[in-house]
């Protein structure tokens, strides 16, 4: 609590992200209508008392679909980043700890993945797996795995050469104990910051894939899919596309702001400049 009082921007970022997560989790209870419920008579209507954010081309309530779209997009991105952290973090830690041939082979493999543009690699993976929310999550996880591997390997190399790790080896501590008790806790701040920042970009990637028809498939609500469907009716009723775009903006901005403020708070070099 003291840290939050000293850093009001961090408190705002946490509250902003927590609010959006709450909206995503509680979409079933907060949304005034079902995400697939149609009112044909009220198609392409603007904001009103009955439909606060208007309706889309099929008469579905835009607010309800955005709330459920929050859940779809956020769930896919959280799963994707968690998988990337698990795979990339494991590779990075083992590369720093084991060194030798494992480090050379694993890091060259990560370099190969780095060579591909993010969207091109994601589209290639989805071409193999087929368009689906799960496929989009797997594609994002593969794309972000080398980022976590490279990011954690650097500081892990320094920690593995530190005196307390050398002392732990000298007293006979197992490799698992050293990694989980001495190395990983010292990487917690790096992991926390990078996870927040990658969640921000993962939301944009997932929305882009859904916009292209490669992610979440209709009729399941997704922010990127809503933006894609609404672009065909911009002159008649832009509300669906506009509000879906703002939802993507707010969701990405929240995690990006959280990552930036966490970095400023946890980095001792930045704290010393305050």
């Amino acid at each position: 609590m003291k840290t939050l009082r000293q850093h009001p921007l961090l408190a705002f970022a946490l509250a902003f992200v927590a609010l959006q997560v709450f909206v995503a989790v509680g979409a079933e209870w907060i949304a005034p209508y079902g995400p697939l419920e149609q009112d044909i008579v009220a198609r392409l209507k603007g904001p009103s008392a009955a439909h606060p954010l208007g309706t889309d081309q099929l008469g579905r309530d835009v607010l309800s679909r955005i709330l459920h779209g929050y859940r779809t997009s956020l769930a896919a991105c959280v799963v994707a980043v968690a998988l990337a952290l698990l795979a990339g973090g494991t590779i990075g830690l083992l590369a720093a700890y084991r060194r030798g041939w494992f480090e050379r082979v694993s890091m060259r493999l990560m370099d190969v993945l780095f060579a591909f543009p993010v969207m091109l690699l994601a589209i290639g993976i989805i071409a193999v797996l087929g368009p689906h929310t799960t496929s989009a999550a797997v594609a994002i996880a593969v794309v972000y795995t080398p980022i976590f591997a490279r990011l954690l390997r650097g500081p892990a190399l320094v920690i593995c050469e530190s005196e307390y790790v050398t002392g732990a080896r000298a007293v006979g501590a197992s490799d698992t104990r050293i990694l989980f008790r001495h190395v990983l806790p010292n990487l917690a701040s790096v992991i926390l910051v990078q996870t927040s920042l990658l969640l921000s970009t993962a939301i944009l990637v997932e929305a882009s894939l859904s916009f292209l028809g490669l992610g979440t498939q209709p009729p399941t609500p997704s922010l990127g899919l809503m933006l894609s469907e609404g672009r065909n009716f911009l002159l008649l009723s832009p509300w669906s596309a506009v509000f879906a775009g703002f939802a993507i903006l707010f969701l990405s901005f929240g995690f990006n702001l959280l990552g930036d403020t966490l970095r400023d708070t946890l980095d001792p070099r930045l704290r010393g400049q305050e």
Side-chain angles (χ1 to χ4, degrees):
M1 295 300 296
K2 181 179 179 181
T3 301
L4 293 180
R5 288 195 296 268
Q6 293 175 342
H7 301 275
L9 188 58
L10 175 60
F12 171 77
L14 283 171
F16 191 56
V17 170
L19 175 62
Q20 295 184 87
V21 172
F22 172 77
V23 166
V25 173
E28 291 285 351
W29 300 277
I30 300 174
Y33 302 92
L36 305 181
E37 187 176 340
Q38 298 182 9
D39 183 0
I40 301 300
V41 178
R43 291 187 306 147
L44 298 174
K45 297 296 184 180
S48 63
H51 302 282
L53 298 185
T55 58
D56 64 6
Q57 72 277 8
L58 297 178
R60 298 172 297 191
D61 184 66
V62 173
L63 174 59
S64 300
R65 287 185 62 79
I66 285 179
L67 294 177
H68 285 83
Y70 260 108
R71 174 187 294 181
T72 304
S73 300
L74 191 58
C77 294
V78 168
V79 170
V81 173
L83 291 175
L85 173 59
L86 181 62
T90 301
I91 293 172
L93 282 177
L94 292 179
Y97 189 77
R98 293 292 186 184
R99 310 291 291 271
W101 68 267
F102 181 84
E103 181 185 24
R104 291 192 295 270
V105 172
S106 60
M107 289 301 104
R108 294 302 77 76
L109 178 60
M110 296 300 102
D111 289 340
V112 171
L113 293 178
F114 260 130
F116 290 92
V118 171
M119 286 300 299
L120 181 61
L121 180 57
I123 290 172
I125 295 170
I126 292 176
V128 176
L129 300 178
H132 194 271
T133 306
T134 304
S135 302
V138 172
I140 297 171
V142 173
V143 168
Y144 285 168
T145 292
I147 297 178
F148 277 114
R150 280 290 184 183
L151 179 77
L152 296 183
R153 173 181 168 271
L157 282 171
V158 177
I159 296 171
C160 289
E161 297 298 326
S162 62
E163 293 181 355
Y164 56 86
V165 171
T166 303
R169 286 199 186 102
V171 298
S174 65
D175 293 342
T176 303
R177 181 179 177 83
I178 292 174
L179 287 173
F180 282 94
R181 293 293 299 273
H182 300 288
V183 179
L184 197 57
N186 287 283
L187 297 173
S189 60
V190 177
I191 293 173
L192 193 60
V193 171
Q194 192 62 32
T195 299
S196 299
L197 294 175
L198 285 185
L199 275 171
S200 171
T201 56
I203 289 163
L204 298 179
V205 174
E206 190 277 334
S208 300
L209 292 173
S210 296
F211 181 85
L212 295 173
L214 301 174
T216 303
Q217 299 298 299
T220 303
S222 170
L223 299 179
L225 183 60
M226 290 182 63
L227 189 60
S228 177
E229 292 174 342
R231 63 176 173 164
N232 298 319
F233 304 94
L234 287 176
L235 296 180
L236 293 174
S237 179
W239 307 111
S240 178
V242 168
F243 289 125
F246 274 114
I248 295 171
L249 172 65
F250 291 146
L251 194 56
S252 178
F253 170 75
F255 283 106
N256 192 51
L257 180 63
L258 179 60
D260 284 341
T261 52
L262 282 173
R263 181 185 58 200
D264 295 343
T265 303
L266 299 175
D267 193 327
R269 293 170 299 180
L270 297 177
R271 285 204 305 266
Q273 296 175 4
E274 295 179 354

